Amino acid sequence: MNSIRNKYFKLLVFLHYFGLISIPKYYQQGWKNWLHRNCYRTFVYMFMLLVSTLHALSTMHYPYDHPAFTTKIYEFLLVLFLYFEIFIFSFYLDKFIELFEDMDRIFAATDPKVYSRYEKELDWVLGALFGFCVFVLGCLVLDTLTPQSEDNIQLLTSLYHLSHPRRKLPTLIYIPFIDISEMKYFVIIYVAIIYAAIIGMCAGCQIAGIESIYPTLLAAQIEMFCKFIKLLGRTHRNKNGDIIFYSNIVFTSWSLEDIG
């Protein structure tokens, strides 16, 4: 069985590089760990908080009777849920790291076929999550290429006072006293929103993937255990026809029964 930690720990490393978590003692140099934990991660959190706040201002600034207001509320609640998930995951980060180490120490592939089946299932789940992330991000980008509706153009002109309402962001945000449709602001805000979306979507998918690793591989252990426990206490015969008793479910070893 390949090392579970070596294979799936990269999901934590992915979140580490994005600044959403800070793996303890990841770097050999202590100052790098301090810099990542106190500076880089703080910057990422403040950046995400800023984008979320601007999105919330946009939601509150939206007319309540507009059909898109409900969509803005759902987007805002999704952002809040994602922040809560990241916070909880960061709080229990040490426990997740211990889980990887415990799985490497305790889990055993007593039946390679069963373990391989669950491992492939887990890889499929992780691949599906990654595909979903790419799909959503792609939809966000492609949506900006579609034309604004006349209703939205009128709303952006009258309510947000945009001079170029046909320029479309992945999601509308509101910055007081700034015309976000001006090209010098539009490009910066566009890139910032895409960057925030990449961080948010990847964080959600990676965390969901990490949280699915342990129960999936644990289910494999239970199935293998149930399969081999049936062998204990029952007589069997080996390929030579000798009566044997299985005595070890981890290494599937057996003892030869002397019936002479």
Side-chain angles (χ1 to χ4, degrees):
M1 181 179 70
N2 295 328
S3 172
I4 297 174
R5 190 183 191 280
N6 292 341
K7 183 174 182 179
Y8 298 111
F9 192 76
K10 59 186 177 183
L11 298 178
L12 288 178
V13 175
F14 188 87
L15 297 176
H16 176 86
Y17 284 141
F18 265 105
L20 295 171
I21 63 173
S22 187
I23 300 176
K25 300 179 181 179
Y26 181 77
Y27 303 103
Q28 293 182 352
Q29 299 88 345
W31 65 270
K32 287 186 178 181
N33 293 310
W34 183 91
L35 194 66
H36 185 281
R37 181 177 62 255
N38 296 289
C39 297
Y40 179 55
R41 188 177 66 166
T42 301
F43 165 76
V44 171
Y45 272 61
M46 290 298 101
F47 171 76
M48 294 291 290
L49 181 61
L50 175 62
V51 174
S52 303
T53 302
L54 295 177
H55 185 275
L57 288 175
S58 172
T59 302
M60 292 185 293
H61 204 62
Y62 227 70
Y64 298 151
D65 57 346
H66 195 275
F69 178 74
T70 304
T71 303
K72 300 291 291 184
I73 290 293
Y74 286 150
E75 290 177 356
F76 178 68
L77 293 177
L78 179 62
V79 171
L80 287 181
F81 173 77
L82 183 60
Y83 259 106
F84 178 75
E85 183 77 6
I86 294 173
F87 173 77
I88 294 297
F89 187 83
S90 299
F91 187 77
Y92 290 103
L93 177 61
D94 292 339
K95 299 297 182 182
F96 278 99
I97 295 177
E98 289 178 7
L99 275 179
F100 280 107
E101 296 174 351
D102 290 341
M103 285 190 292
D104 266 343
R105 180 172 52 87
I106 299 173
F107 286 3
T110 55
D111 189 330
K113 291 183 178 179
V114 173
Y115 184 82
S116 177
R117 174 162 53 84
Y118 277 91
E119 199 172 42
K120 289 179 180 178
E121 177 183 329
L122 180 57
D123 291 341
W124 184 90
V125 171
L126 297 178
L129 289 172
F130 177 77
F132 174 76
C133 178
V134 173
F135 174 76
V136 172
L137 292 174
C139 289
L140 283 176
V141 175
L142 291 176
D143 183 63
T144 61
L145 303 179
T146 60
Q148 293 272 26
S149 64
E150 293 300 325
D151 185 34
N152 281 341
I153 292 176
Q154 183 179 1
L155 177 67
L156 295 174
T157 304
S158 60
L159 186 62
Y160 293 93
H161 308 291
L162 301 184
S163 56
H164 304 281
R166 297 186 183 277
R167 292 174 180 169
K168 198 173 184 181
L169 292 170
T171 183
L172 182 62
I173 63 174
Y174 175 67
I175 304 179
F177 313 113
I178 292 180
D179 184 358
I180 61 174
S181 66
E182 290 288 343
M183 185 58 69
K184 59 182 178 181
Y185 299 122
F186 180 82
V187 174
I188 297 175
I189 295 173
Y190 187 98
V191 173
I193 292 176
I194 292 297
Y195 176 65
I198 291 175
I199 292 178
M201 289 301 303
C202 290
C205 291
Q206 294 294 322
I207 291 174
I210 292 171
E211 292 175 347
S212 65
I213 290 174
Y214 187 77
T216 302
L217 297 183
L218 180 61
Q221 296 297 306
I222 294 174
E223 181 174 332
M224 289 185 290
F225 177 78
C226 292
K227 181 178 180 180
F228 281 103
I229 202 172
K230 295 178 181 179
L231 302 175
L232 298 178
R234 296 169 54 189
T235 57
H236 304 271
R237 293 184 182 273
N238 61 12
K239 59 182 180 180
N240 297 324
D242 301 319
I243 295 179
I244 60 174
F245 287 92
Y246 282 91
S247 57
N248 192 307
I249 62 174
V250 175
F251 300 103
T252 64
S253 61
W254 44 266
S255 60
L256 184 63
E257 178 71 11
D258 184 7
I259 60 175

